[in-house]
Amino acid sequence: MADEKMARKAYEKELYRLQGELVKMQEWVRVAGERVVVVFEGRDAAGKGGAIKRVAEYLNPRVTQIVALPAPTERERTQWYFQRYVEHLPAAGTIVLFDRSWYNRAGVERVMGFCTEEEHSRFLHQCPIFERLLVEDGILLRKYWFSVSDAEQERRFRKRLEDPMRRWKLSAVDLESITRWEDYSRAKDEMLVHTHIPEAPWREVESEDKRRARINMISHLLSTIPYEDVPRPEIQIPERPPGTGYRRPPRLENHVPDVTRP
């Protein structure tokens, strides 16, 4: 059945295999001096954060960075809109995963009235130019839109509300997206008309089943990066030399107590 959830065992097996390929891809990026940007966008509670977590789980944080910017400061609001994102673009040999990105202006800012009509129109004009410049300069830019139904979004919101460990994920803006579902749909449609360009196309990820969404997204990402297995030098753990009489001094009085023992 099309709506059947992916079995956990099959999901975990395939995810681990793909994460191994992500490690290989990261090493190729590092050695080849490539620059990779992956943009994660979509509805609130569509599964962007979970996908990013699985992508980065086994990667080197010195090579792969997650960027999730807060609301702009007063100073940043006076800058060119793309300016604060530019400083987070990757240098040679690194990967940046944007947990939301410059597309905030086309989505939440547009719908919630956080930007003017003029600012929104300017964004739709400048964004394709900005992204073409990135690609022209050699950046490998990938953009994923996570799509989820209104019923599934509400179900996930309610689940978060009942879970004290994840309740922080709910904000007033998130909850208002329920009553503004069609507004967000129209904003997304308008965004795609202007920013789904040959140099940087959007890829839509169906996310009713989070497991399938993660597998599909990671598989696609890997298929678009021309990475290859990079030979690694052999590493041998040296033998420990014989002791020279060192004795450890008494533990500090303010050491962390062992709460696991009675």
Side-chain angles (χ1 to χ4, degrees):
M1 295 175 60
D3 59 350
E4 183 180 352
K5 301 292 185 181
M6 187 175 188
R8 177 177 292 277
K9 188 173 181 180
Y11 160 72
E12 292 178 346
K13 181 179 179 180
E14 180 61 6
L15 177 63
Y16 191 72
R17 185 189 72 79
L18 292 172
Q19 288 174 326
E21 292 300 312
L22 285 170
V23 170
K24 293 179 185 178
M25 185 265 283
Q26 176 188 244
E27 184 63 8
W28 174 80
V29 168
R30 187 187 69 81
V31 172
E34 296 290 340
R35 293 170 292 164
V36 177
V37 170
V38 187
V39 169
F40 293 79
E41 290 286 349
R43 300 276 189 178
D44 292 316
K48 301 179 297 297
I52 293 170
K53 180 179 178 180
R54 272 66 181 188
V55 169
E57 187 171 3
Y58 292 103
L59 301 185
N60 184 345
R62 292 186 177 88
V63 177
T64 301
Q65 180 186 10
I66 299 172
V67 174
L69 299 183
T73 64
E74 289 299 322
R75 184 175 186 276
E76 288 172 334
R77 289 191 181 96
T78 67
Q79 297 174 341
W80 177 47
Y81 177 71
F82 295 93
Q83 188 168 335
R84 73 185 190 126
Y85 296 101
V86 169
E87 66 178 285
H88 295 282
L89 292 175
T94 59
I95 301 168
V96 172
L97 310 176
F98 277 101
D99 184 354
R100 294 201 180 277
S101 64
W102 45 89
Y103 282 100
N104 278 337
R105 176 137 295 177
V108 64
E109 290 190 17
R110 164 68 164 168
V111 173
M112 300 300 294
F114 297 156
C115 68
T116 65
E117 289 288 340
E118 181 183 359
E119 289 170 333
H120 178 250
S121 296
R122 188 184 307 129
F123 170 83
L124 293 179
H125 169 69
Q126 291 185 351
C127 183
I129 300 171
F130 173 67
E131 293 183 349
R132 287 188 184 103
L133 290 174
L134 299 184
V135 174
E136 183 180 301
D137 201 59
I139 289 178
L140 301 175
L141 174 61
R142 304 294 183 263
K143 304 186 306 191
Y144 293 97
W145 178 273
F146 285 73
S147 184
V148 68
S149 67
D150 52 353
E152 178 63 15
Q153 182 193 57
E154 184 174 347
R155 188 192 71 81
R156 293 177 186 179
F157 279 161
R158 293 189 182 282
K159 192 172 180 180
R160 288 180 181 181
L161 187 62
E162 297 165 0
D163 185 350
M165 303 298 285
R166 298 195 301 163
R167 195 167 182 176
W168 62 270
K169 288 187 173 186
L170 281 177
S171 69
V173 173
D174 294 335
L175 295 176
E176 194 160 349
S177 65
I178 294 177
T179 60
R180 294 177 179 261
W181 179 268
E182 290 191 1
D183 293 335
Y184 273 101
S185 296
R186 294 187 183 96
K188 175 211 171 186
D189 293 343
E190 186 177 9
M191 176 198 76
L192 290 179
V193 168
H194 292 270
T195 63
H196 181 57
I197 57 177
E199 298 87 347
W202 279 102
R203 303 294 180 180
E204 188 163 2
V205 183
E206 293 295 337
S207 190
E208 290 293 285
D209 181 347
K210 289 183 179 181
R211 295 172 188 169
R212 291 187 189 279
R214 294 164 188 165
I215 296 299
N216 292 335
M217 179 263 144
I218 297 173
S219 296
H220 182 270
L221 174 62
L222 289 167
S223 74
T224 69
I225 305 293
Y227 73 98
E228 48 191 46
D229 206 349
V230 177
R232 299 195 180 196
E234 290 189 12
I235 298 176
Q236 292 185 343
I237 299 178
E239 293 186 10
R240 192 181 301 279
T244 59
Y246 169 79
R247 292 185 179 278
R248 180 177 176 173
R251 294 181 184 273
L252 297 174
E253 292 183 1
N254 59 344
H255 70 278
V256 175
D258 185 354
V259 298
T260 65
R261 300 179 186 275

